[in-house]
C-alpha cells in the first residue's frame, strides 16, 4: 500500500504507517519493511 501511494504521487513524508492484523491489533512490520520504511516516510506506528 505504501509503495502504491508513492507511485500515485503521494509525498512519503505525509504517510504514517500502522501495521495491524485482521483483528485490529498492532504487530511489528516485516523484515523487508524494516529495511526501508523507517526514515523514509512519516511516523511508523507498529506493535
Amino acid at each position: 500500500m505504501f509503495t502504491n501511494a508513492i507511485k500515485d504521487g503521494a509525498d512519503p513524508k505525509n504517510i504514517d504507517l500502522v501495521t495491524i492484523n485482521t483483528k485490529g491489533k498492532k504487530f511489528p512490520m516485516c523484515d523487508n519493511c524494516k529495511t526501508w520504511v523507517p526514515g523514509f516516510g512519516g511516523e511508523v506506528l507498529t506493535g
Side-chain angles (χ1 to χ4, degrees):
M1 184 175 84
F2 195 88
T3 304
N4 287 341
I6 294 167
K7 285 181 182 177
D8 287 342
D11 182 348
K13 302 285 188 252
N14 293 329
I15 300 171
D16 293 336
L17 178 69
V18 179
T19 54
I20 59 171
N21 65 18
T22 57
K23 296 180 183 194
K25 299 274 186 178
K26 288 183 184 178
F27 69 96
M29 71 177 98
C30 71
D31 289 337
N32 178 50
C33 289
K34 286 178 188 177
T35 65
W36 65 274
V37 172
F40 184 74
E43 189 171 349
V44 178
L45 308 167
T46 61

